[in-house]
Amino acid sequence: MSVISSHSYCPPPELAIIVPTYNEADSVAELVRRVATVLDGIAWEIIVVDDDSPDATAERVRELARQDARVRLIQRIGRRGLSSACIEGMLATTAPFLAVMDGDLQHDETLLPQMLVTLKTAALDIVIGSRYIAGGGVGEWNTQRQWMSRLATRIGQRLIHAELHDPMSGFFMVRANVIHRCVHHLSGVGFKILLDIFFAAPTPLRFQELPFTFRQRLAGASKLESAVLWEYLLMLAQKLIGTRIPVRFIAFSLIGGLGVAVHMAVLWPMLHLLGETAFLLGQATATLVAMTSNFFLNNLFTYRDQRLIGRQLLWGWLSFVLVCGLGALANVGIANALFQQGNSGWFFSALAGILVGAVWNYAVTAVYTWKSH
């Protein structure tokens, strides 16, 4: 016997729209109004997953939710990322159909009813809003953004082995049971959740693309930046390598590889100018320069969701340098010992010192420098 009386029963949503946001306070009300208009007659809810926006997006959503119970909010503290926000939102609903769209009004909400009808009536797992089929378009994108999107699209198409014209689309509708089957294999990295879903699905997904034209945002600033392509490449690396190696370690290692180049670029001219008798001084200087370079690059990319700014940036750098000093001493000491033996040469001596300090530096990065803030 049901414990819910017929007077209090409210039918569950058939469709949940997941909207990841960051600084979208000026557009969320209009988005909700448009969604309510186009989904009239459909049981729906909208779940806004906000990454603690400094413009009070979360409070604006709360105001909307007090007026309409179909509006829900998940406010995340201390973590950021579009894909992971989408995953949390999709797992927070009982709706059998899930749509993902941006909160900046650039996706065409009028396509939602057609997506739902297509998904319900056809033997499909997912319906995708596509910019790259007949009838679709990218709107007023500049040349650089079009080039980045096309490049990422070609890479994605080759890796998922599906005839998907727009694997980089952030506008789609999927059956909830598809997400439930593959959620433990999603990386949650970066901005491209659709590609992540295609990678993680245990069997090839049945899909259809519907055309839409990407619109200009009406408020706020674009979330696209150089880190988008970086995070996309990290997500691809995570899929190729597997989930046993943390994606942060992959990023840290890639930046560490660049640090090796920085290290050698500092050490070589010092030895060229001062002679090999200055190896100890050169190794110490190169270590400090490479360490500083690695800190700022990791702050910008690897730990972008915990990025240090202002005074925190200065204190973070100081803590990084001070605590990594032990690793640097081991780096310089081992490199110098190998060089003095005369069997390794300056390059391999320096490289050995770098490798010794690498594990320590990663541990410090993960435990002390960023998490302490």
Side-chain angles (χ1 to χ4, degrees):
M1 180 173 138
S2 174
V3 297
I4 303 176
S5 70
S6 59
H7 298 289
S8 62
Y9 176 73
C10 179
E14 181 181 30
L15 172 64
I17 303 99
I18 315 303
V19 182
T21 60
Y22 188 74
N23 287 343
E24 308 292 357
D26 294 332
S27 59
V28 287
E30 177 63 16
L31 175 65
V32 171
R33 187 194 68 78
R34 293 185 184 187
V35 166
T37 299
V38 300
L39 294 181
D40 185 41
I42 298 171
W44 60 271
E45 67 177 352
I46 188 166
I47 302 175
V48 177
V49 186
D50 184 65
D51 285 354
D52 198 26
S53 300
D55 73 343
T57 297
E59 187 54 40
R60 185 72 185 98
V61 176
R62 288 190 183 94
E63 294 174 2
L64 296 169
R66 284 191 284 268
Q67 302 168 26
D68 190 336
R70 296 173 296 182
V71 179
R72 296 174 53 198
L73 170 69
I74 298 175
Q75 184 178 3
R76 307 200 304 172
I77 308 298
R79 61 194 191 279
R80 290 173 58 183
L82 188 145
S83 289
S84 59
C86 290
I87 294 169
E88 289 192 34
M90 289 189 287
L91 295 179
T93 180
T94 60
F97 300 100
L98 311 171
V100 171
M101 64 186 302
D102 288 349
D104 53 18
L105 306 176
Q106 293 181 300
H107 290 155
D108 186 0
E109 72 286 337
T110 63
L111 196 62
L112 290 171
Q114 185 182 353
M115 284 178 158
L116 183 59
V117 170
T118 304
L119 199 55
K120 290 171 64 176
T121 57
L124 299 172
D125 297 307
I126 189 167
V127 176
I128 300 133
S130 176
R131 300 158 295 183
Y132 298 131
I133 61 174
V138 297
E140 300 179 14
W141 280 9
N142 60 37
T143 302
Q144 179 183 3
R145 189 171 179 182
Q146 290 188 45
W147 177 84
M148 288 179 60
S149 178
R150 291 289 188 181
L151 174 62
T153 295
R154 291 192 186 96
I155 296 172
Q157 288 170 333
R158 290 181 178 275
L159 291 176
I160 63 174
H161 304 296
E163 296 298 323
L164 183 58
H165 293 87
D166 195 357
M168 306 302 291
S169 177
F171 184 31
F172 59 89
M173 190 178 295
V174 62
R175 293 181 184 272
N177 58 11
V178 171
I179 300 301
H180 298 159
R181 288 200 306 266
C182 70
V183 66
H184 292 288
H185 301 286
L186 294 172
S187 69
V189 175
F191 285 70
K192 299 306 173 186
I193 180 66
L194 177 63
L195 201 63
D196 203 358
I197 292 170
F198 268 82
F199 264 117
T203 57
L205 295 179
R206 301 164 298 175
F207 66 90
Q208 182 174 331
E209 294 180 87
L210 300 177
F212 86 101
T213 298
F214 207 76
R215 299 186 298 214
Q216 287 289 99
R217 63 167 44 244
L218 298 183
S222 174
K223 292 180 283 291
L224 281 178
E225 50 183 276
S226 57
V228 174
L229 185 57
W230 167 259
E231 289 190 347
Y232 175 60
L233 295 175
L234 285 181
M235 189 269 286
L236 296 181
Q238 181 83 87
K239 291 301 180 183
L240 294 174
I241 296 174
T243 57
R244 293 185 179 181
I245 302 177
V247 68
R248 284 201 200 275
F249 183 76
I250 296 173
F252 192 89
S253 298
L254 291 173
I255 290 174
L258 181 59
V260 173
V262 172
H263 186 103
M264 298 304 179
V266 173
L267 179 58
W268 181 83
M270 290 190 68
L271 293 179
H272 182 72
L273 293 173
L274 303 177
E276 292 189 352
T277 57
F279 178 80
L280 181 59
L281 174 62
Q283 178 73 354
T285 302
T287 298
L288 180 60
V289 172
M291 186 187 302
T292 300
S293 171
N294 286 354
F295 168 76
F296 283 101
L297 288 174
N298 279 304
N299 188 61
L300 184 62
F301 294 108
T302 308
Y303 293 95
R304 66 184 305 273
D305 57 334
Q306 303 174 43
R307 190 180 302 172
L308 306 177
I309 58 175
R311 289 185 178 180
Q312 288 186 348
L313 182 65
L314 176 60
W315 288 111
W317 175 79
L318 287 173
S319 69
F320 188 88
V321 171
L322 290 173
V323 180
C324 287
L326 292 176
L329 288 174
N331 177 337
V332 174
I334 290 176
N336 188 58
L338 291 174
F339 180 77
Q340 294 300 332
Q341 290 177 5
N343 297 323
S344 301
W346 71 267
F347 181 87
F348 289 103
S349 297
L351 186 60
I354 292 168
L355 294 176
V356 167
V359 174
W360 174 263
N361 289 345
Y362 178 69
V364 170
T365 298
V367 176
Y368 293 104
T369 303
W370 280 274
K371 283 192 176 181
S372 62
H373 299 279

